[in-house]
Amino acid sequence: MRKNIDIDETTLTKLKLLSAFEDMTVKGLMERAISFFVEHKEKERLKNLTKEEKEDLGLLLLMQQADRSETVSEEEVLKKLRSIK
C-alpha cells in the first residue's frame, strides 16, 4: 500500500542524512523509527500499570492461549467452586 505524507524539507534532509549513515533507505529508516517508538510506548505503558492491571492483563493473555475446543459443564464448575470453600 502506498501512502503519501508531507514532510518539511529540513526533516527530509535529516532523514536522508541518517539513512546514508545507517546504510538504509529513508522508508526503512522511518519504519524502524516508528517501530522503535511504538515498542517504547508499549513498554512505558506496561511499566505504568498498577499491580491489579498487570494481573488482569496476564489473565487475559492466559485466556487467549486456552484451548477453546475443551468445554466444561456448568455443574463441574460449580462443584469445583464448592470444593474450594
Side-chain angles (χ1 to χ4, degrees), residues 47-73:
K47 183 179 171 186
N48 292 329
L49 289 177
T50 65
K51 183 179 177 184
E52 185 177 318
E53 290 171 329
K54 287 178 185 176
E55 289 172 354
D56 289 346
L57 182 58
L59 181 59
L60 175 64
L61 293 172
L62 285 173
M63 289 172 63
Q64 289 176 340
Q65 294 174 4
D67 183 4
R68 295 179 184 166
S69 62
E70 288 186 32
T71 57
V72 179
S73 70

Side-chain angles (χ1 to χ4, degrees), residues 3-71:
K3 297 285 182 182
N4 293 330
I5 57 172
D6 291 327
I7 300 175
D8 63 89
E9 285 298 318
T10 305
T11 304
L12 184 58
T13 303
K14 290 176 184 178
L15 280 170
K16 287 179 180 179
L17 189 61
L18 283 171
S19 68
F21 286 141
E22 294 292 321
D23 195 28
M24 304 175 74
T25 63
V26 171
K27 178 184 176 211
L29 180 69
M30 290 175 65
E31 288 172 347
R32 185 171 160 197
I34 291 166
S35 295
F36 175 80
F37 180 78
V38 169
E39 185 179 318
H40 173 73
K41 285 297 181 182
E42 287 172 346
K43 285 180 183 177
E44 188 178 273
R45 187 169 179 211
L46 283 174
K47 183 179 171 186
N48 292 329
L49 289 177
T50 65
K51 183 179 177 184
E52 185 177 318
E53 290 171 329
K54 287 178 185 176
E55 289 172 354
D56 289 346
L57 182 58
L59 181 59
L60 175 64
L61 293 172
L62 285 173
M63 289 172 63
Q64 289 176 340
Q65 294 174 4
D67 183 4
R68 295 179 184 166
S69 62
E70 288 186 32
T71 57

